[in-house]
Amino acid sequence: MTLPPAFRSSGDLLADRRYDYAMAAKAEDDLVAAADLLVQALEIEPRWVAGWFALGEVEAARGETAAAEAALAKALALDPDDALGARLLLARLGRAEAQEAMSEAYVRTLYDDYAPRFEKALREGLAYRAPEILRDAVVAASATLGREPAFARMLDLGCGTGLAGPVFAPLAAAIDGVDLSPRMVDLARQKGVYRTLAVGDLTQFLDGEAEASADLVLAADVLIYVADLGPVFAGAARVLRHGGLLGFTVEAHDGEGLMLHASLRYAHGRDLIETGLAAAGLAIASLERVVLRTEGGAPVAGWAVVAAKGR
């Protein structure tokens, strides 16, 4: 993991230099040297969260599970909000519950740091097109349901820098968005297509919306950071008017249940989608296996789903 700027310095030049040497050794796959250098850095600054986190990553990479767990536990003790994602790595090691591992602070920190390069990285580097996939799915589902693909009010959950806004603007008279990252919301505001934008948790945002106040709820590539889809589905069902649509993408895997990938993102089995939507009273209009983007030259499989209220 590339550390956000706020975490990159221990406050001690010598410890920082040891860390830099450790990262260079890690890049050359000399994990023994990297671990030794990080231990030296932490002897100088024993309360450096990022140093303990990096040591946990290195120890895990070289198969020293007990040492990795100890380092990550130390990072978590020093930063209970878990902005670097120590719980996620502990879950990958089988020492924490995957469903409870993703912290709000981790997602916010990740995307505040990522914001300035986010769109270029996704569009140019990863061939990302989830908004376009969802637009096509919503238009097709509308035709199947015998309704026009026109919406008085759309909610964009996890709007990020607003990539979905211009794609859906021709279909939605008003678009309101929410995202955990203030820096992402600032960039979305510059698009000029959102009526309102809020910074916050998407489930809490839905809880604050009036019942039957939206015609389309969209979640493009944000539910990969949500383990339990149930509250999101229930919240969307509450705010949707009769005949309204929920469109979303999630990463897919071939089995059932929840999986935490090495990328530290969740993948959801088809069973979780189907049972979760049914429990919320939403009927599936379309559910398709798609390619959301590429990573390392390989396609990332996902589900593109549109569900209707009161079908």
Side-chain angles (χ1 to χ4, degrees):
M1 175 183 178
T2 302
L3 292 177
F7 290 87
R8 288 177 190 152
S9 176
S10 66
D12 184 282
L13 182 60
L14 186 57
D16 288 356
R17 191 169 297 160
R18 292 284 191 276
Y19 175 89
D20 290 340
Y21 293 155
M23 294 302 98
K26 181 185 176 186
E28 295 175 359
D29 206 29
D30 189 350
L31 299 179
V32 173
D36 183 58
L37 287 160
L38 286 168
V39 169
Q40 293 176 37
L42 289 163
E43 287 172 349
I44 299 167
E45 286 296 332
R47 296 188 60 79
W48 188 17
V49 176
W52 287 108
F53 181 84
L55 181 59
E57 283 189 309
V58 169
E59 296 288 23
R62 71 190 191 107
E64 296 293 338
T65 303
E69 291 172 8
L72 293 168
K74 184 69 174 179
L76 194 55
L78 291 169
D79 176 27
D81 289 339
D82 194 23
L84 294 179
R87 282 193 189 90
L88 289 166
L89 290 183
L90 285 168
R92 288 285 300 171
L93 293 171
R95 293 298 184 268
E97 290 294 329
Q99 188 151 336
E100 301 170 0
M102 189 82 68
S103 74
E104 185 175 303
Y106 167 75
V107 178
R108 182 185 299 109
T109 300
L110 179 68
Y111 279 97
D112 272 349
D113 182 54
Y114 197 13
R117 60 190 188 280
F118 176 78
E119 291 196 13
K120 184 175 182 179
L122 260 67
R123 291 299 203 185
E124 298 179 17
L126 303 179
Y128 172 77
R129 51 184 303 272
E132 290 80 7
I133 290 171
L134 280 177
R135 177 200 58 204
D136 293 346
V138 165
V139 169
S142 296
T144 299
L145 296 170
R147 60 161 296 164
E148 289 296 317
F151 306 93
R153 184 185 184 219
M154 169 181 137
L155 303 181
D156 188 0
L157 306 181
C159 64
T161 59
L163 286 173
V167 174
F168 277 86
L171 307 181
I175 304 177
D176 300 314
V178 61
D179 198 273
L180 267 179
S181 164
R183 295 188 72 186
M184 299 286 267
V185 167
D186 286 344
L187 292 170
R189 190 169 286 113
Q190 295 175 22
K191 296 275 193 304
V193 298
Y194 289 87
R195 182 177 65 175
T196 65
L197 285 160
V199 175
D201 172 77
L202 61 89
T203 306
Q204 293 174 4
F205 173 80
L206 287 171
D207 289 345
E209 292 296 302
E211 187 173 349
S213 61
D215 305 282
L216 174 63
V217 176
L218 196 78
D221 245 24
V222 63
L223 300 183
I224 56 177
Y225 298 107
V226 177
D228 183 4
L229 301 178
V232 179
F233 292 165
R238 189 185 66 82
V239 303
L240 281 171
R241 299 186 180 100
H242 184 81
L245 302 181
L246 166 65
F248 64 92
T249 58
V250 291
E251 290 190 14
H253 67 95
D254 293 329
E256 296 184 347
L258 184 72
M259 176 182 290
L260 178 62
H261 282 318
S263 62
L264 303 185
R265 297 188 301 262
Y266 292 120
H268 295 83
R270 181 169 181 153
D271 60 312
L272 293 180
I273 296 169
E274 293 176 338
T275 58
L277 289 172
L282 296 169
I284 294 173
S286 67
L287 193 161
E288 296 183 14
R289 185 94 165 195
V290 297
V291 174
L292 297 172
R293 60 189 173 279
T294 61
E295 288 184 8
V300 176
W303 301 110
V305 186
V306 180
K309 179 177 179 178
R311 181 181 173 187

